[in-house]
Every structure is written in C-alpha cells, then in structure tokens.
Amino acid sequence: MLAGKNILLIISGGIAAYKSLQLVRLLSKEGAKVVPVMTKSAEQFVTPLSVSALAGESVRTNLFDLEDEAEMGHIELTRAADLVVVAPATAGLMAKMAGGLADDLASTLLLASNKRIMLAPAMNVAMWENPATVRNLKLLREDGRIIVGPDEGEMACGEYGPGRMAEPEVILEAIRSEFADGPMRGKRVLITSGPTHEPIDPVRYIANRSSGLQGTEIAREFVKMGAEVVFVTGPADAERPKGAEVVEVETALEMEAAVNTAGEFDVAVFAAAVADWRVDTVSSGKIKKEAGRPLPKLSFVENPDILKTVSRRQKGRPTLVIGFAAETDDVIENATAKRIRKGCDWILANDVSGDRPVMGGPDNQVVLISENAAETWPWMTKRQVAHALAAKVSEVLE
Ligand code: C5P
C-alpha cells in the first residue's frame, strides 16, 4: 500500500526519537521512500548516520544548507512528499506549529507544507497536561493535523501517565490508513465509545457494563473504509482501534470536552454508554468507614447529553448523527421517541433485557431507526453490525 509513497519524516528531540528508527525500518520495508529531517536536539538522541543508513536517504538538518538549497529547497522537499509525519513531536515543536513559527528546517517545512501532516506526540506527562500544550493540541486539531497517540504508561523520566509516543506499528497503521482507498476517503468520523466513570472519591466511582467493543468495531470499519476517525473512549476493556486518533477520557464531562474540541465531522456515532448522572460533590479524600458514622449518602446531578448537543448544533453539525439506545421494553416505540427527542438522524436500538447479554457480550441485535423507517437486523457479531452500519453510512453520504 505504501510502495512508492514519499514520506517526509521529521524527527524532533525527545527520548522517543530512538523509536523513529523502527518506524523508518517499517516504512522502508513497505516500499515507502522516507526522507528524514532532524531537528538539532533530535541529533542528541539518535545520530543522523543511523537514520540515513536505515532510510537510504541523507538526513536534512539545516535550513541554510547551500548545497541542499541549490539541489532541493525546503519548499520543494514538502511538495515532493505525499505525507508529512512528525515522530516524535515534542511539546516545543507542537507549540511552534500551533503558533506558525518557523526558525529551523523542521518548523519551516511544516509551515511551508501543503500536505497532510501527522503528529506522534511524545513528552513528559506534565508537559502533555500543561494548559499550553492542551491549547496547542486543540489548535493543531482545528488545523486538520492528524494526531496519533500518545500512549499512557511508564515514561523514561520515571513518571507515569499519558505522553509516551505511540508504538511505531501503530503509527505505521495510521500512515497506511492515510493512503487507504475506500468509499469514506476524505470523510471525518467521530465515534464515542465505552463507559464513563463518575468519581465518588479518589478511589471509588460509578460505572456501567459497557466493554466498548461495538464502538471499537465501528471505528475499525470506518478506518478500513479510508475515513479519518477520531475515537473518544471512556475506560473500556476493548483494544483501541488502530489507525484512529484515540482520545482517552474518564468522565462524561471529559467526554463532552473532547467531543467539543475535536473539530468538525461528516459523521458522528455515539456508541458510548455515558453515565446519565454524576455525583454532585466528589469527596477530595477517601470517604471513611467508621463504626457509628452515618452511612454516606450520594446525591446526583445530570450529565450533559453529548448526542443531543451535537445533534442540535446550529453550526458545524455533522451530516449524519447516529445514536444508540439500550432499551428494556417497547424498543421501537421508545427508540423512535428518543430519536426525535435527541434530534439525531438514526438510532441503533437494542433490547438489553433478554438472556443474551449485549452489554459486554460479542453479539448484538439492533433495529435501525431513521426518520421514516425501522429496520430490524438479525443477531450478528458486533463486527458485522459495524460493517453493516458503515456500509449504510457510506451509501447515504455518496
Ligand atoms: O438517553 P440515553 O442514554 O438512552 O441515550 C443513549 C444515546 O445517547 C447513546 O448514543 C449515547 O452515546 C448518547 N448519550 C450521550 N450523552 C449522554 C447520554 C447518552 O451522548 N449524557
């Protein structure tokens, strides 16, 4: 799929730069031409020699390299590329990109590029969570940049959390999906998935049985069809879909914020089992169990209805908004009313009262409710449901 593709790979200075060597190998193995560019600080982590040996191309490092400028200027370098990949993308380089700053070869190329740009952020947890980085990320998303990762885990600095660069195999998959030809190519799809966790105190929370499998399968199908997929997921068991931009959240409020900052979409599928309520005052310390103490009483406030808000957007509403409805009785009737109440285009309704477990199980049986029809689909695996749904969506969008 990548044979003959020209990938301009920008390596910026982070400990994760060593993983880019593996990315170069994987890309070369697929037949892609990798044109490497390194920032000054990247050279502290890996040597240009190892990068160029693996890429079979000389490494560009200097904005004012007369020989290179004569041969191929920086504008030309980006014009020849089919895709620009920044891996690792440091907080500093992301800030430069968000601000349109060009003071070295990497940032100048990024500013001069008229190609799709993919970023694999890598940084310390505190840097990732810093409001400045959060702001920059939002701007980059709005500019249409594709974000892959970061992962959560132990970091080189010994701290734990999000900020670790996505694995090279995952970045490769995202690159492949950029070139995947399919009926959803050029379309942006948002998917919410999984449960939300609503905290009671620092160690306890309220959750539900959603495994996130149905949402994950839907994301996979759209990725396969060539769409650009943003997957906003609560703490779900299901493996994350490769090739999608994954945004991990915990609570309904975080899910709402992630959806609101993810940009505009052609299709939005709300498969998440969002908690309807959250505890109104989350205890900052662990609620103690002590003899003689009255039992704790929880009071709740309603969570925002994300599906309803997006369905009723005045500006930038997706062409197709799809919700789910888990019902225990009068499925079609209730789901039909829900579709109107929420203002979405389709509802996939399922009966969760039977013996066959839908939530957490591998299969699903749905009724697709649209403005003027209710189509009952047979029992299928969640993958088959996802396939049927994605096929129907692409038919409608044509
Ligand atoms: O109202 P109910 O929870 O049955 O609606 C289910 C649908 O609404 C699902 O598509 C779910 O993802 C979405 N939803 C939401 N935000 C909420 C509650 C539900 O997006 N707070």
Side-chain angles (χ1 to χ4, degrees), residues 214-264:
Q214 185 63 81
T216 303
E217 293 294 6
I218 293 170
R220 286 199 181 116
E221 283 301 322
F222 280 117
V223 168
K224 251 202 263 170
M225 293 169 99
E228 187 189 325
V229 177
V230 177
F231 183 74
V232 179
T233 179
D237 295 337
E239 203 185 310
R240 305 300 183 244
K242 293 201 175 69
E245 177 187 341
V246 178
V247 184
E248 304 269 352
V249 298
E250 198 141 326
T251 64
L253 287 179
E254 287 171 12
M255 186 171 275
E256 182 195 36
V259 165
N260 285 343
T261 51
E264 292 192 5

mmCIF file of all heavy atoms in Angstrom, residues 214-264:
data_model
loop_
_atom_site.group_PDB
_atom_site.id
_atom_site.type_symbol
_atom_site.label_atom_id
_atom_site.label_comp_id
_atom_site.label_asym_id
_atom_site.label_seq_id
_atom_site.Cartn_x
_atom_site.Cartn_y
_atom_site.Cartn_z
ATOM 1 N N GLN A 214 -18.529 -2.557 20.688
ATOM 2 C CA GLN A 214 -19.294 -2.127 19.499
ATOM 3 C C GLN A 214 -18.705 -0.846 18.896
ATOM 4 O O GLN A 214 -18.518 -0.759 17.695
ATOM 5 C CB GLN A 214 -20.777 -1.938 19.865
ATOM 6 C CG GLN A 214 -21.656 -1.622 18.671
ATOM 7 C CD GLN A 214 -21.699 -2.753 17.644
ATOM 8 O OE1 GLN A 214 -22.425 -3.707 17.794
ATOM 9 N NE2 GLN A 214 -20.908 -2.645 16.588
ATOM 10 N N GLY A 215 -18.378 0.100 19.749
ATOM 11 C CA GLY A 215 -17.791 1.357 19.251
ATOM 12 C C GLY A 215 -16.454 1.110 18.575
ATOM 13 O O GLY A 215 -16.143 1.696 17.523
ATOM 14 N N THR A 216 -15.659 0.220 19.159
ATOM 15 C CA THR A 216 -14.347 -0.091 18.595
ATOM 16 C C THR A 216 -14.483 -0.718 17.207
ATOM 17 O O THR A 216 -13.764 -0.365 16.269
ATOM 18 C CB THR A 216 -13.591 -1.060 19.534
ATOM 19 O OG1 THR A 216 -13.520 -0.427 20.806
ATOM 20 C CG2 THR A 216 -12.203 -1.369 19.041
ATOM 21 N N GLU A 217 -15.436 -1.642 17.092
ATOM 22 C CA GLU A 217 -15.638 -2.299 15.793
ATOM 23 C C GLU A 217 -16.109 -1.284 14.734
ATOM 24 O O GLU A 217 -15.696 -1.352 13.579
ATOM 25 C CB GLU A 217 -16.665 -3.437 15.910
ATOM 26 C CG GLU A 217 -16.207 -4.627 16.753
ATOM 27 C CD GLU A 217 -15.046 -5.404 16.144
ATOM 28 O OE1 GLU A 217 -14.487 -4.984 15.111
ATOM 29 O OE2 GLU A 217 -14.664 -6.451 16.722
ATOM 30 N N ILE A 218 -16.932 -0.346 15.164
ATOM 31 C CA ILE A 218 -17.401 0.678 14.219
ATOM 32 C C ILE A 218 -16.209 1.527 13.760
ATOM 33 O O ILE A 218 -16.053 1.820 12.575
ATOM 34 C CB ILE A 218 -18.508 1.546 14.863
ATOM 35 C CG1 ILE A 218 -19.754 0.688 15.109
ATOM 36 C CG2 ILE A 218 -18.851 2.748 13.986
ATOM 37 C CD1 ILE A 218 -20.834 1.363 15.946
ATOM 38 N N ALA A 219 -15.352 1.880 14.717
ATOM 39 C CA ALA A 219 -14.163 2.679 14.364
ATOM 40 C C ALA A 219 -13.293 1.907 13.366
ATOM 41 O O ALA A 219 -12.833 2.463 12.361
ATOM 42 C CB ALA A 219 -13.370 3.006 15.619
ATOM 43 N N ARG A 220 -13.086 0.620 13.623
ATOM 44 C CA ARG A 220 -12.258 -0.201 12.715
ATOM 45 C C ARG A 220 -12.823 -0.198 11.301
ATOM 46 O O ARG A 220 -12.086 -0.094 10.325
ATOM 47 C CB ARG A 220 -12.201 -1.643 13.227
ATOM 48 C CG ARG A 220 -11.327 -1.791 14.423
ATOM 49 C CD ARG A 220 -10.915 -3.246 14.629
ATOM 50 N NE ARG A 220 -10.093 -3.326 15.808
ATOM 51 C CZ ARG A 220 -10.409 -3.993 16.911
ATOM 52 N NH1 ARG A 220 -11.519 -4.703 16.972
ATOM 53 N NH2 ARG A 220 -9.596 -3.976 17.951
ATOM 54 N N GLU A 221 -14.140 -0.352 11.203
ATOM 55 C CA GLU A 221 -14.770 -0.400 9.879
ATOM 56 C C GLU A 221 -14.542 0.903 9.116
ATOM 57 O O GLU A 221 -14.196 0.895 7.942
ATOM 58 C CB GLU A 221 -16.276 -0.651 10.001
ATOM 59 C CG GLU A 221 -16.636 -2.085 10.293
ATOM 60 C CD GLU A 221 -16.134 -3.073 9.229
ATOM 61 O OE1 GLU A 221 -16.163 -2.731 8.031
ATOM 62 O OE2 GLU A 221 -15.707 -4.172 9.629
ATOM 63 N N PHE A 222 -14.729 2.038 9.826
ATOM 64 C CA PHE A 222 -14.558 3.319 9.142
ATOM 65 C C PHE A 222 -13.095 3.554 8.760
ATOM 66 O O PHE A 222 -12.815 4.125 7.709
ATOM 67 C CB PHE A 222 -15.116 4.471 9.996
ATOM 68 C CG PHE A 222 -16.613 4.596 9.904
ATOM 69 C CD1 PHE A 222 -17.410 4.415 11.025
ATOM 70 C CD2 PHE A 222 -17.223 4.888 8.693
ATOM 71 C CE1 PHE A 222 -18.791 4.525 10.937
ATOM 72 C CE2 PHE A 222 -18.602 5.006 8.590
ATOM 73 C CZ PHE A 222 -19.398 4.822 9.720
ATOM 74 N N VAL A 223 -12.172 3.108 9.614
ATOM 75 C CA VAL A 223 -10.747 3.233 9.263
ATOM 76 C C VAL A 223 -10.488 2.427 7.985
ATOM 77 O O VAL A 223 -9.843 2.899 7.047
ATOM 78 C CB VAL A 223 -9.840 2.739 10.422
ATOM 79 C CG1 VAL A 223 -8.397 2.584 9.954
ATOM 80 C CG2 VAL A 223 -9.915 3.701 11.606
ATOM 81 N N LYS A 224 -11.032 1.205 7.964
ATOM 82 C CA LYS A 224 -10.842 0.336 6.793
ATOM 83 C C LYS A 224 -11.384 0.980 5.520
ATOM 84 O O LYS A 224 -10.866 0.777 4.426
ATOM 85 C CB LYS A 224 -11.596 -0.986 7.026
ATOM 86 C CG LYS A 224 -10.669 -2.168 7.268
ATOM 87 C CD LYS A 224 -11.380 -3.457 6.968
ATOM 88 C CE LYS A 224 -11.930 -4.074 8.234
ATOM 89 N NZ LYS A 224 -12.831 -5.200 8.027
ATOM 90 N N MET A 225 -12.443 1.754 5.680
ATOM 91 C CA MET A 225 -13.050 2.390 4.506
ATOM 92 C C MET A 225 -12.360 3.692 4.144
ATOM 93 O O MET A 225 -12.838 4.446 3.297
ATOM 94 C CB MET A 225 -14.534 2.644 4.768
ATOM 95 C CG MET A 225 -15.323 1.361 4.877
ATOM 96 S SD MET A 225 -16.975 1.690 5.487
ATOM 97 C CE MET A 225 -17.883 1.679 3.979
ATOM 98 N N GLY A 226 -11.265 3.983 4.823
ATOM 99 C CA GLY A 226 -10.447 5.136 4.441
ATOM 100 C C GLY A 226 -10.806 6.432 5.145
ATOM 101 O O GLY A 226 -10.255 7.484 4.828
ATOM 102 N N ALA A 227 -11.738 6.382 6.123
ATOM 103 C CA ALA A 227 -12.132 7.624 6.809
ATOM 104 C C ALA A 227 -11.064 8.032 7.820
ATOM 105 O O ALA A 227 -10.267 7.212 8.260
ATOM 106 C CB ALA A 227 -13.464 7.425 7.524
ATOM 107 N N GLU A 228 -11.102 9.319 8.163
ATOM 108 C CA GLU A 228 -10.249 9.788 9.257
ATOM 109 C C GLU A 228 -11.107 9.709 10.516
ATOM 110 O O GLU A 228 -12.135 10.379 10.616
ATOM 111 C CB GLU A 228 -9.846 11.232 8.974
ATOM 112 C CG GLU A 228 -8.830 11.759 9.936
ATOM 113 C CD GLU A 228 -8.639 13.252 9.747
ATOM 114 O OE1 GLU A 228 -8.717 13.719 8.595
ATOM 115 O OE2 GLU A 228 -8.459 13.929 10.750
ATOM 116 N N VAL A 229 -10.701 8.866 11.438
ATOM 117 C CA VAL A 229 -11.562 8.559 12.586
ATOM 118 C C VAL A 229 -10.990 9.127 13.882
ATOM 119 O O VAL A 229 -9.834 8.887 14.201
ATOM 120 C CB VAL A 229 -11.745 7.025 12.724
ATOM 121 C CG1 VAL A 229 -12.574 6.690 13.955
ATOM 122 C CG2 VAL A 229 -12.395 6.447 11.476
ATOM 123 N N VAL A 230 -11.806 9.869 14.603
ATOM 124 C CA VAL A 230 -11.439 10.290 15.961
ATOM 125 C C VAL A 230 -12.292 9.457 16.920
ATOM 126 O O VAL A 230 -13.523 9.446 16.824
ATOM 127 C CB VAL A 230 -11.670 11.798 16.184
ATOM 128 C CG1 VAL A 230 -11.354 12.176 17.625
ATOM 129 C CG2 VAL A 230 -10.801 12.609 15.226
ATOM 130 N N PHE A 231 -11.620 8.736 17.805
ATOM 131 C CA PHE A 231 -12.277 7.767 18.683
ATOM 132 C C PHE A 231 -12.133 8.249 20.127
ATOM 133 O O PHE A 231 -11.052 8.191 20.688
ATOM 134 C CB PHE A 231 -11.571 6.415 18.461
ATOM 135 C CG PHE A 231 -12.158 5.265 19.221
ATOM 136 C CD1 PHE A 231 -13.358 4.697 18.832
ATOM 137 C CD2 PHE A 231 -11.496 4.720 20.311
ATOM 138 C CE1 PHE A 231 -13.888 3.607 19.515
ATOM 139 C CE2 PHE A 231 -12.012 3.631 21.002
ATOM 140 C CZ PHE A 231 -13.221 3.080 20.603
ATOM 141 N N VAL A 232 -13.247 8.745 20.672
ATOM 142 C CA VAL A 232 -13.202 9.255 22.050
ATOM 143 C C VAL A 232 -13.739 8.151 22.956
ATOM 144 O O VAL A 232 -14.904 7.772 22.859
ATOM 145 C CB VAL A 232 -14.064 10.524 22.191
ATOM 146 C CG1 VAL A 232 -14.031 11.033 23.634
ATOM 147 C CG2 VAL A 232 -13.577 11.611 21.235
ATOM 148 N N THR A 233 -12.886 7.615 23.811
ATOM 149 C CA THR A 233 -13.311 6.456 24.588
ATOM 150 C C THR A 233 -13.158 6.660 26.086
ATOM 151 O O THR A 233 -12.173 7.227 26.548
ATOM 152 C CB THR A 233 -12.550 5.185 24.149
ATOM 153 O OG1 THR A 233 -12.990 4.090 24.960
ATOM 154 C CG2 THR A 233 -11.049 5.324 24.294
ATOM 155 N N GLY A 234 -14.153 6.151 26.808
ATOM 156 C CA GLY A 234 -14.043 6.065 28.259
ATOM 157 C C GLY A 234 -13.167 4.876 28.596
ATOM 158 O O GLY A 234 -12.623 4.216 27.706
ATOM 159 N N PRO A 235 -13.015 4.583 29.896
ATOM 160 C CA PRO A 235 -12.129 3.489 30.306
ATOM 161 C C PRO A 235 -12.722 2.114 29.935
ATOM 162 O O PRO A 235 -13.362 1.467 30.750
ATOM 163 C CB PRO A 235 -12.025 3.638 31.830
ATOM 164 C CG PRO A 235 -12.884 4.787 32.199
ATOM 165 C CD PRO A 235 -13.635 5.282 31.027
ATOM 166 N N ALA A 236 -12.526 1.689 28.697
ATOM 167 C CA ALA A 236 -13.128 0.452 28.189
ATOM 168 C C ALA A 236 -12.088 -0.664 28.137
ATOM 169 O O ALA A 236 -10.893 -0.395 28.072
ATOM 170 C CB ALA A 236 -13.681 0.703 26.791
ATOM 171 N N ASP A 237 -12.592 -1.910 28.147
ATOM 172 C CA ASP A 237 -11.683 -3.065 28.066
ATOM 173 C C ASP A 237 -11.186 -3.289 26.641
ATOM 174 O O ASP A 237 -10.096 -3.790 26.433
ATOM 175 C CB ASP A 237 -12.425 -4.345 28.498
ATOM 176 C CG ASP A 237 -12.825 -4.270 29.960
ATOM 177 O OD1 ASP A 237 -12.183 -3.498 30.695
ATOM 178 O OD2 ASP A 237 -13.791 -4.968 30.345
ATOM 179 N N ALA A 238 -12.035 -2.985 25.657
ATOM 180 C CA ALA A 238 -11.702 -3.337 24.270
ATOM 181 C C ALA A 238 -10.390 -2.693 23.835
ATOM 182 O O ALA A 238 -10.070 -1.577 24.245
ATOM 183 C CB ALA A 238 -12.832 -2.872 23.353
ATOM 184 N N GLU A 239 -9.665 -3.447 23.005
ATOM 185 C CA GLU A 239 -8.402 -2.929 22.466
ATOM 186 C C GLU A 239 -8.701 -1.693 21.618
ATOM 187 O O GLU A 239 -9.736 -1.639 20.948
ATOM 188 C CB GLU A 239 -7.794 -4.017 21.569
ATOM 189 C CG GLU A 239 -6.304 -3.886 21.388
ATOM 190 C CD GLU A 239 -5.806 -4.920 20.396
ATOM 191 O OE1 GLU A 239 -6.153 -6.112 20.570
ATOM 192 O OE2 GLU A 239 -5.112 -4.539 19.451
ATOM 193 N N ARG A 240 -7.827 -0.707 21.636
ATOM 194 C CA ARG A 240 -8.101 0.519 20.892
ATOM 195 C C ARG A 240 -7.956 0.278 19.378
ATOM 196 O O ARG A 240 -7.064 -0.462 18.954
ATOM 197 C CB ARG A 240 -7.149 1.642 21.320
ATOM 198 C CG ARG A 240 -7.159 1.908 22.826
ATOM 199 C CD ARG A 240 -8.548 2.309 23.316
ATOM 200 N NE ARG A 240 -8.560 2.626 24.737
ATOM 201 C CZ ARG A 240 -9.240 1.940 25.659
ATOM 202 N NH1 ARG A 240 -9.962 0.884 25.332
ATOM 203 N NH2 ARG A 240 -9.219 2.323 26.918
ATOM 204 N N PRO A 241 -8.811 0.903 18.571
ATOM 205 C CA PRO A 241 -8.745 0.661 17.118
ATOM 206 C C PRO A 241 -7.498 1.301 16.498
ATOM 207 O O PRO A 241 -7.231 2.485 16.733
ATOM 208 C CB PRO A 241 -10.013 1.353 16.604
ATOM 209 C CG PRO A 241 -10.353 2.372 17.637
ATOM 210 C CD PRO A 241 -9.863 1.853 18.946
ATOM 211 N N LYS A 242 -6.763 0.502 15.749
ATOM 212 C CA LYS A 242 -5.558 1.040 15.103
ATOM 213 C C LYS A 242 -5.959 1.948 13.941
ATOM 214 O O LYS A 242 -6.968 1.722 13.299
ATOM 215 C CB LYS A 242 -4.705 -0.111 14.564
ATOM 216 C CG LYS A 242 -4.134 -0.965 15.667
ATOM 217 C CD LYS A 242 -2.919 -1.749 15.158
ATOM 218 C CE LYS A 242 -2.262 -2.510 16.291
ATOM 219 N NZ LYS A 242 -3.093 -3.616 16.786
ATOM 220 N N GLY A 243 -5.156 2.951 13.712
ATOM 221 C CA GLY A 243 -5.420 3.829 12.575
ATOM 222 C C GLY A 243 -6.386 4.956 12.907
ATOM 223 O O GLY A 243 -6.626 5.826 12.086
ATOM 224 N N ALA A 244 -6.951 4.941 14.129
ATOM 225 C CA ALA A 244 -7.846 6.031 14.531
ATOM 226 C C ALA A 244 -7.088 6.930 15.495
ATOM 227 O O ALA A 244 -6.146 6.497 16.143
ATOM 228 C CB ALA A 244 -9.084 5.471 15.230
ATOM 229 N N GLU A 245 -7.523 8.180 15.581
ATOM 230 C CA GLU A 245 -6.961 9.045 16.615
ATOM 231 C C GLU A 245 -7.737 8.757 17.894
ATOM 232 O O GLU A 245 -8.948 8.949 17.941
ATOM 233 C CB GLU A 245 -7.118 10.526 16.218
ATOM 234 C CG GLU A 245 -6.600 11.431 17.309
ATOM 235 C CD GLU A 245 -6.867 12.904 17.059
ATOM 236 O OE1 GLU A 245 -7.134 13.290 15.916
ATOM 237 O OE2 GLU A 245 -6.798 13.660 18.045
ATOM 238 N N VAL A 246 -7.048 8.242 18.890
ATOM 239 C CA VAL A 246 -7.730 7.822 20.114
ATOM 240 C C VAL A 246 -7.599 8.908 21.179
ATOM 241 O O VAL A 246 -6.506 9.374 21.465
ATOM 242 C CB VAL A 246 -7.125 6.495 20.635
ATOM 243 C CG1 VAL A 246 -7.805 6.074 21.943
ATOM 244 C CG2 VAL A 246 -7.254 5.395 19.592
ATOM 245 N N VAL A 247 -8.739 9.311 21.729
ATOM 246 C CA VAL A 247 -8.720 10.286 22.834
ATOM 247 C C VAL A 247 -9.306 9.576 24.054
ATOM 248 O O VAL A 247 -10.463 9.154 24.033
ATOM 249 C CB VAL A 247 -9.554 11.544 22.494
ATOM 250 C CG1 VAL A 247 -9.444 12.572 23.609
ATOM 251 C CG2 VAL A 247 -9.110 12.144 21.166
ATOM 252 N N GLU A 248 -8.506 9.402 25.090
ATOM 253 C CA GLU A 248 -8.950 8.683 26.286
ATOM 254 C C GLU A 248 -9.557 9.670 27.275
ATOM 255 O O GLU A 248 -8.943 10.694 27.580
ATOM 256 C CB GLU A 248 -7.750 8.008 26.980
ATOM 257 C CG GLU A 248 -6.958 7.064 26.109
ATOM 258 C CD GLU A 248 -7.456 5.631 26.168
ATOM 259 O OE1 GLU A 248 -8.328 5.319 27.003
ATOM 260 O OE2 GLU A 248 -6.968 4.828 25.348
ATOM 261 N N VAL A 249 -10.739 9.351 27.768
ATOM 262 C CA VAL A 249 -11.361 10.190 28.789
ATOM 263 C C VAL A 249 -11.877 9.288 29.904
ATOM 264 O O VAL A 249 -11.903 8.065 29.764
ATOM 265 C CB VAL A 249 -12.535 11.026 28.218
ATOM 266 C CG1 VAL A 249 -12.065 11.981 27.153
ATOM 267 C CG2 VAL A 249 -13.644 10.129 27.688
ATOM 268 N N GLU A 250 -12.284 9.915 30.984
ATOM 269 C CA GLU A 250 -12.791 9.124 32.090
ATOM 270 C C GLU A 250 -14.278 9.442 32.370
ATOM 271 O O GLU A 250 -15.091 8.545 32.460
ATOM 272 C CB GLU A 250 -11.945 9.434 33.319
ATOM 273 C CG GLU A 250 -12.118 8.379 34.349
ATOM 274 C CD GLU A 250 -10.833 8.042 35.061
ATOM 275 O OE1 GLU A 250 -9.760 8.084 34.435
ATOM 276 O OE2 GLU A 250 -10.934 7.743 36.242
ATOM 277 N N THR A 251 -14.595 10.698 32.472
ATOM 278 C CA THR A 251 -15.949 11.088 32.886
ATOM 279 C C THR A 251 -16.752 11.619 31.689
ATOM 280 O O THR A 251 -16.196 11.917 30.631
ATOM 281 C CB THR A 251 -15.864 12.213 33.931
ATOM 282 O OG1 THR A 251 -15.280 13.353 33.283
ATOM 283 C CG2 THR A 251 -15.008 11.821 35.120
ATOM 284 N N ALA A 252 -18.069 11.770 31.934
ATOM 285 C CA ALA A 252 -18.932 12.328 30.893
ATOM 286 C C ALA A 252 -18.507 13.756 30.552
ATOM 287 O O ALA A 252 -18.498 14.145 29.382
ATOM 288 C CB ALA A 252 -20.385 12.310 31.367
ATOM 289 N N LEU A 253 -18.126 14.525 31.572
ATOM 290 C CA LEU A 253 -17.725 15.917 31.307
ATOM 291 C C LEU A 253 -16.472 15.946 30.437
ATOM 292 O O LEU A 253 -16.348 16.770 29.529
ATOM 293 C CB LEU A 253 -17.475 16.663 32.627
ATOM 294 C CG LEU A 253 -18.722 17.017 33.444
ATOM 295 C CD1 LEU A 253 -18.324 17.729 34.739
ATOM 296 C CD2 LEU A 253 -19.694 17.882 32.638
ATOM 297 N N GLU A 254 -15.535 15.018 30.717
ATOM 298 C CA GLU A 254 -14.328 14.963 29.883
ATOM 299 C C GLU A 254 -14.675 14.527 28.459
ATOM 300 O O GLU A 254 -14.092 15.013 27.488
ATOM 301 C CB GLU A 254 -13.305 13.991 30.491
ATOM 302 C CG GLU A 254 -12.627 14.514 31.736
ATOM 303 C CD GLU A 254 -11.790 13.454 32.434
ATOM 304 O OE1 GLU A 254 -11.537 12.377 31.855
ATOM 305 O OE2 GLU A 254 -11.397 13.712 33.582
ATOM 306 N N MET A 255 -15.629 13.602 28.350
ATOM 307 C CA MET A 255 -16.030 13.141 27.007
ATOM 308 C C MET A 255 -16.648 14.302 26.225
ATOM 309 O O MET A 255 -16.339 14.512 25.042
ATOM 310 C CB MET A 255 -17.005 11.963 27.123
ATOM 311 C CG MET A 255 -17.344 11.338 25.796
ATOM 312 S SD MET A 255 -18.274 9.797 25.955
ATOM 313 C CE MET A 255 -16.966 8.602 26.177
ATOM 314 N N GLU A 256 -17.478 15.069 26.902
ATOM 315 C CA GLU A 256 -18.103 16.222 26.248
ATOM 316 C C GLU A 256 -17.026 17.218 25.770
ATOM 317 O O GLU A 256 -17.063 17.689 24.629
ATOM 318 C CB GLU A 256 -19.055 16.924 27.220
ATOM 319 C CG GLU A 256 -19.774 18.090 26.574
ATOM 320 C CD GLU A 256 -20.434 19.004 27.591
ATOM 321 O OE1 GLU A 256 -19.874 19.213 28.685
ATOM 322 O OE2 GLU A 256 -21.517 19.523 27.270
ATOM 323 N N ALA A 257 -16.043 17.483 26.646
ATOM 324 C CA ALA A 257 -14.991 18.440 26.280
ATOM 325 C C ALA A 257 -14.193 17.914 25.085
ATOM 326 O O ALA A 257 -13.867 18.666 24.155
ATOM 327 C CB ALA A 257 -14.079 18.681 27.476
ATOM 328 N N ALA A 258 -13.899 16.601 25.093
ATOM 329 C CA ALA A 258 -13.125 16.017 23.988
ATOM 330 C C ALA A 258 -13.896 16.119 22.678
ATOM 331 O O ALA A 258 -13.323 16.444 21.628
ATOM 332 C CB ALA A 258 -12.784 14.559 24.304
ATOM 333 N N VAL A 259 -15.196 15.872 22.737
ATOM 334 C CA VAL A 259 -16.027 15.951 21.522
ATOM 335 C C VAL A 259 -16.075 17.403 21.024
ATOM 336 O O VAL A 259 -15.946 17.673 19.830
ATOM 337 C CB VAL A 259 -17.447 15.405 21.811
ATOM 338 C CG1 VAL A 259 -18.433 15.785 20.716
ATOM 339 C CG2 VAL A 259 -17.401 13.886 21.985
ATOM 340 N N ASN A 260 -16.195 18.322 21.964
ATOM 341 C CA ASN A 260 -16.313 19.731 21.563
ATOM 342 C C ASN A 260 -15.031 20.310 20.994
ATOM 343 O O ASN A 260 -15.069 21.312 20.300
ATOM 344 C CB ASN A 260 -16.768 20.590 22.753
ATOM 345 C CG ASN A 260 -18.232 20.378 23.040
ATOM 346 O OD1 ASN A 260 -18.962 19.855 22.197
ATOM 347 N ND2 ASN A 260 -18.665 20.746 24.230
ATOM 348 N N THR A 261 -13.903 19.682 21.306
ATOM 349 C CA THR A 261 -12.652 20.252 20.797
ATOM 350 C C THR A 261 -12.075 19.412 19.647
ATOM 351 O O THR A 261 -10.974 19.661 19.193
ATOM 352 C CB THR A 261 -11.579 20.340 21.906
ATOM 353 O OG1 THR A 261 -11.479 19.065 22.531
ATOM 354 C CG2 THR A 261 -11.934 21.381 22.939
ATOM 355 N N ALA A 262 -12.842 18.412 19.202
ATOM 356 C CA ALA A 262 -12.288 17.505 18.186
ATOM 357 C C ALA A 262 -12.466 18.017 16.753
ATOM 358 O O ALA A 262 -12.010 17.383 15.818
ATOM 359 C CB ALA A 262 -12.912 16.120 18.334
ATOM 360 N N GLY A 263 -13.125 19.163 16.581
ATOM 361 C CA GLY A 263 -13.294 19.708 15.236
ATOM 362 C C GLY A 263 -14.621 19.290 14.614
ATOM 363 O O GLY A 263 -15.523 18.835 15.307
ATOM 364 N N GLU A 264 -14.688 19.440 13.286
ATOM 365 C CA GLU A 264 -15.950 19.147 12.593
ATOM 366 C C GLU A 264 -15.895 17.784 11.906
ATOM 367 O O GLU A 264 -14.830 17.322 11.531
ATOM 368 C CB GLU A 264 -16.251 20.248 11.574
ATOM 369 C CG GLU A 264 -16.573 21.553 12.278
ATOM 370 C CD GLU A 264 -17.159 22.611 11.358
ATOM 371 O OE1 GLU A 264 -17.408 22.314 10.174
ATOM 372 O OE2 GLU A 264 -17.362 23.733 11.848
#
